């Protein structure tokens, strides 16, 4: 417990080492700052979704005995993970500075972070609500997150997909909100080129749509939480 926040860095650091060694063994060229940035950003989403499973179920006594806006529970959970992410991000920025990377338009960073936070909150609302009614959601989420990880350019650069597939495939690729978010982070932090702006706009639009969908679903099912718990 004395390590405090540094425990939150343990998982991404281990993943970075594993993927660096693995990709090196199979001789896939990788730019380490690209990998580090991708995993740090991905971990914010992964931690939010993992914790969101029990944001409602784990507070069953409170939900059933006290009258308060249940929305506070997932919001507080995402907020706590956002603080950990910001602390990890400071470490990332120091690493990138030491690695002598070229920063891009840092003024855009708050918009990218806000969009990812909106996606995390929207998904947390959906997952937290689903776990109240379907207790197998934990098992479904673990499989879905593994698929989502490899469908997102966490350990590879999106340019490989953009350059080798037609426009409709690229549109499908960027309909995954994490594709545009990861690409935007790397453009801001590593000065990597952006694809067509409409592709980034597609990803960001889906991220905010997920937030509004999550809010709508949560509001609709919130009155039934007490009965299910």
């Amino acid at each position: 417990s004395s390590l405090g926040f540094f425990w939150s860095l343990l998982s991404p650091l281990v993943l970075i080492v594993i993927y660096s060694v693995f990709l090196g063994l199979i001789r896939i060229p990788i730019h380490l700052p690209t990998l580090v940035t991708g995993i740090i950003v991905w971990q914010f989403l992964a931690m939010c979704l993992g914790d969101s499973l029990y944001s409602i179920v784990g507070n069953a006594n409170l939900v059933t005995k006290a009258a308060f806006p249940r929305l506070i529970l997932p919001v507080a959970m995402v907020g706590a993970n956002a603080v950990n992410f910001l602390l990890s991000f400071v470490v990332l920025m120091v690493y990138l500075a030491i690695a002598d990377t070229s920063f891009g338009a840092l003024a855009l960073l708050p918009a990218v972070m806000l969009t990812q936070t909106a996606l995390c909150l929207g998904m947390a609302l959906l997952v937290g609500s689903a776990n109240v009614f379907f207790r197998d959601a934990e098992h479904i989420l673990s499989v879905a997150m593994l698929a989502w990880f490899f469908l997102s350019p966490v350990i590879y650069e999106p340019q490989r997909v953009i350059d080798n597939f037609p426009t409709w495939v690229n549109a499908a690729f960027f309909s995954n909100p994490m594709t545009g978010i990861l690409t935007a982070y790397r453009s801001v932090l590593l000065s990597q080129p952006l694809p067509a702006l409409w592709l980034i706009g597609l990803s960001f639009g889906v991220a905010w749509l997920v937030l509004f969908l999550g809010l709508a679903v949560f509001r609709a099912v919130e009155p039934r939480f007490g009965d299910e718990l």
Side-chain angles (χ1 to χ4, degrees):
S1 61
S2 62
L3 291 177
F5 130 83
F6 290 101
W7 277 116
S8 65
L9 288 178
L10 182 61
S11 179
L13 288 175
V14 170
L15 286 174
I16 289 164
V17 171
I18 291 173
Y19 282 111
S20 297
V21 172
F22 173 74
L23 295 173
L25 288 175
I26 60 177
R27 298 187 178 182
I28 294 180
I30 185 159
H31 182 230
L32 191 56
T34 297
L35 176 64
V36 172
T37 301
I39 290 180
I40 293 293
V41 169
W42 175 262
Q43 280 299 110
F44 179 29
L45 175 70
M47 292 298 294
C48 284
L49 293 193
D51 291 346
S52 68
L53 280 167
Y54 301 101
S55 60
I56 305 299
V57 173
N59 292 285
N61 291 336
L62 186 60
V63 170
T64 56
K65 294 180 180 179
F68 69 99
R70 273 65 173 178
L71 184 64
I72 291 174
L73 298 173
V75 169
M77 179 275 302
V78 172
N81 280 296
V83 171
N84 279 333
F85 174 61
L86 289 175
L87 293 172
S88 301
F89 204 83
V90 171
V91 177
L92 172 63
M93 294 290 283
V94 172
Y95 163 74
L96 294 178
I98 294 173
D100 198 25
T101 57
S102 175
F103 293 118
L106 290 176
L108 298 177
L109 188 57
V112 182
M113 285 183 161
L114 184 61
T115 298
Q116 186 184 11
T117 303
L119 172 65
C120 290
L121 179 56
M123 291 299 302
L125 292 169
L126 293 172
V127 170
S129 299
N131 199 40
V132 173
F133 301 95
F134 309 102
R135 298 305 170 87
D136 289 336
E138 178 180 2
H139 307 294
I140 297 171
L141 180 64
S142 63
V143 175
M145 287 299 291
L146 182 61
W148 196 359
F149 178 86
F150 286 105
L151 289 172
S152 304
V154 180
I155 61 174
Y156 58 90
E157 296 181 9
Q159 204 64 36
R160 296 186 181 185
V161 176
I162 295 170
D163 292 341
N164 293 292
F165 291 93
T167 302
W168 70 270
V169 174
N170 290 331
F173 185 49
F174 277 86
S175 65
N176 168 10
M178 283 304 294
T179 298
I181 289 170
L182 284 160
T183 303
Y185 270 114
R186 287 169 175 156
S187 176
V188 170
L189 298 177
L190 305 174
S191 293
Q192 293 184 0
L194 280 175
L197 288 180
W198 72 270
L199 290 173
I200 298 296
L202 175 62
S203 287
F204 278 39
V206 172
W208 286 98
L209 181 62
V210 168
L211 173 60
F212 295 130
L213 177 63
L215 286 169
V217 170
F218 191 89
R219 292 296 191 191
V221 300
E222 181 183 3
R224 296 170 53 195
F225 286 165
D227 296 333
E228 295 294 330
L229 296 174

